[in-house]
Amino acid sequence: MSRPSARELEAIFERSPILVSRLLPLVMPDDTPERIVEMAHEILDSLDERDRIATLDAHPRIGDPASALSSLSAAEQGGTADGTTERELAELNAAYERKFGFRFVVFVRGRSKREIVPILRARLARTREQELEAGIDDFLAISLDRLRSMERADDDQMRRAMDVDS
């Protein structure tokens, strides 16, 4: 995997400036996606609660209109859901943010918005501390998935180049 650029890290870590600014100088060209996320986890663990929450709040809401999402989030969240699901997500997101004081973050790739509704409902029953930890864990799972996708794209590009050159 080639060393991700600042722009790529911003996209991978969903515009979390404090995390990206601290992570960028640490990332080396031979770092695996797992190592990069491990370093990100160490950085997040060292942050105070306010900065950890700012990292979660940099992530878009589940169910936001596609125009409000990064291109990576839009692809991960899939297409639009039915109106009932969209309204329910909006209501549950608002309840979550009122209760916990930060944005709901969950790894969604491969799941529909309808499938996220019961997860969001269940997480509303948890404590703030549990949710802050769960949000960070899911944030990092999303980032790892994105880094692995980037690595696969690099490998595919390399294979195509080798096929052309042979």
Side-chain angles (χ1 to χ4, degrees):
M1 178 174 179
S2 60
R3 183 177 193 270
S5 68
R7 175 174 269 149
E8 289 168 329
L9 285 177
E10 287 171 0
I12 289 162
F13 292 98
E14 211 49 74
R15 304 174 307 247
S16 175
I18 192 162
L19 176 58
V20 172
S21 69
R22 292 185 184 186
L23 183 61
L24 186 59
L26 303 176
V27 175
M28 295 290 130
D30 59 341
D31 283 334
T32 64
E34 293 77 13
R35 176 67 186 133
I36 294 169
V37 168
E38 180 182 313
M39 289 186 287
H41 197 271
E42 291 168 4
I43 292 166
L44 287 168
D45 283 348
S46 74
L47 299 177
D48 63 24
E49 183 177 280
R50 181 181 47 93
D51 287 333
R52 293 175 85 206
I53 289 171
T55 296
L56 293 178
D57 286 346
H59 209 278
R61 285 178 188 86
I62 300 296
D64 270 356
S67 62
L69 303 176
S70 68
S71 60
L72 290 174
S73 285
E76 291 158 356
Q77 287 193 30
T80 59
D82 62 89
T84 301
T85 300
E86 295 289 343
R87 282 188 299 283
E88 195 169 9
L89 281 172
E91 290 167 9
L92 290 169
N93 274 318
Y96 185 95
E97 290 177 25
R98 274 191 309 276
K99 179 175 181 177
F100 298 118
F102 50 86
R103 197 163 285 176
F104 171 69
V105 174
V106 67
F107 184 85
V108 297
R109 185 179 297 279
R111 294 188 279 187
S112 70
K113 291 176 183 165
R114 172 59 45 223
E115 291 173 282
I116 299 305
V117 170
I119 296 167
L120 181 44
R121 281 191 189 289
R123 286 185 46 184
L124 272 163
R126 295 166 59 169
T127 67
R128 187 172 193 276
E129 293 75 26
Q130 289 171 319
E131 273 311 293
L132 184 54
E133 186 175 329
I136 294 294
D137 287 347
D138 277 344
F139 173 84
L140 291 169
I142 294 163
S143 301
L144 180 58
D145 184 64
R146 290 173 176 183
L147 283 162
R148 286 176 174 161
S149 293
M150 187 175 137
E151 183 178 55
R152 283 189 300 273
D154 285 351
D155 290 348
D156 290 345
Q157 193 173 31
M158 179 63 78
R159 276 193 292 279
R160 282 193 301 275
M162 291 172 67
D163 287 345
V164 169
D165 294 340
S166 341

